[in-house]
Amino acid sequence: MHPEITTMHKAINRILIALFLVQYSVNIYAQTPGQKITIELNPIAIENGKYYFNGKRVTFDGLVIPLQAVDDKKVDRSIKTVFALRTSQTVVRLGLSVYLLYLIADRPAYVNYDQTRTLVIGSVAAGFSLSIGEKLFQRKAINRFNAVLLKPEK
C-alpha cells in the first residue's frame, strides 16, 4: 500500500474511535438521572414591553422553562409558534442574502435595481411582520401563563 493511504486509514480510524467514544459517553450521560429543578412559579410582569419574573428582568427565552412548567397546551402551542416564527425570520433573511449575492455576482446591483429594491423592501416587510407576530405570540403565552397561575383552585 502507498504510505499516503495508510496514513489516511489511520486518521479515519482515529476519527471513528473518537466519535465512538463521544457517542458512548453521551449515552452514559443521557442515562444518568438528572437533578430535579424546582422553581417558584409567580406571575410574569410586563412593563414597557419588558418581562419580569420573580422580580428580575428576563428575556422570553429565559421564560420558556417556567412557561412550560404550567403544562398548558395553549401556552406550549404559543411557544412553538414563537420559535417557528423565529426560524421563518432566519430563512427569509438567509434566502434574501443568498439571492442578493447571486444577483450581485451575476450582474452589478444597479442593473437589477428594481428587482433588488423590491426584494429588499419585501424582506424587510416580511421580517417586521414576523417579528410583530413573534411578539404577539410571546405576549399570548405569557398572558395564558398568568391566567393559569391566577385561576382559583376548585
Side-chain angles (χ1 to χ4, degrees):
M1 284 180 118
H2 294 307
E4 296 90 18
I5 294 174
T6 307
T7 307
M8 187 171 71
H9 283 294
K10 286 181 182 178
I12 290 173
N13 285 338
R14 287 182 184 146
I15 291 171
L16 290 175
I17 290 170
L19 288 174
F20 172 76
L21 291 173
V22 167
Q23 181 182 6
Y24 181 73
S25 63
V26 166
N27 286 340
I28 289 174
Y29 180 74
Q31 294 172 2
T32 306
Q35 288 182 330
K36 288 196 173 194
I37 299 172
T38 58
I39 55 174
E40 186 179 339
L41 293 179
N42 292 316
I44 299 168
I46 303 171
E47 295 177 15
N48 298 327
K50 295 174 177 64
Y51 306 123
Y52 295 90
F53 182 67
N54 290 339
K56 296 179 183 173
R57 183 174 172 210
V58 291
T59 62
F60 183 79
D61 293 339
L63 293 172
V64 171
I65 292 174
L67 288 170
Q68 290 175 336
V70 295
D71 197 28
D72 184 71
K73 290 181 181 180
K74 291 180 181 179
V75 172
D76 291 341
R77 192 175 325 124
S78 294
I79 292 169
K80 287 179 184 176
T81 304
V82 165
F83 289 122
L85 288 170
R86 282 188 190 169
T87 303
S88 300
Q89 285 177 332
T90 303
V91 169
V92 166
R93 289 180 187 135
L94 183 64
L96 173 72
S97 299
V98 168
Y99 190 68
L100 286 176
L101 287 173
Y102 165 76
L103 285 178
I104 292 170
D106 188 34
R107 286 179 260 158
Y110 58 84
V111 174
N112 297 322
Y113 178 74
D114 290 333
Q115 187 178 13
T116 304
R117 183 181 62 185
T118 303
L119 280 171
V120 169
I121 291 171
S123 69
V124 167
F128 278 132
S129 300
L130 292 170
S131 179
I132 290 169
E134 179 185 341
K135 295 292 183 195
L136 290 173
F137 278 98
Q138 285 178 359
R139 187 69 55 98
K140 185 176 180 179
I142 290 171
N143 288 338
R144 177 66 184 171
F145 171 85
N146 288 341
V148 168
L149 277 185
L150 299 175
K151 186 167 83 173
E153 305 252 343
K154 293 182 179 179

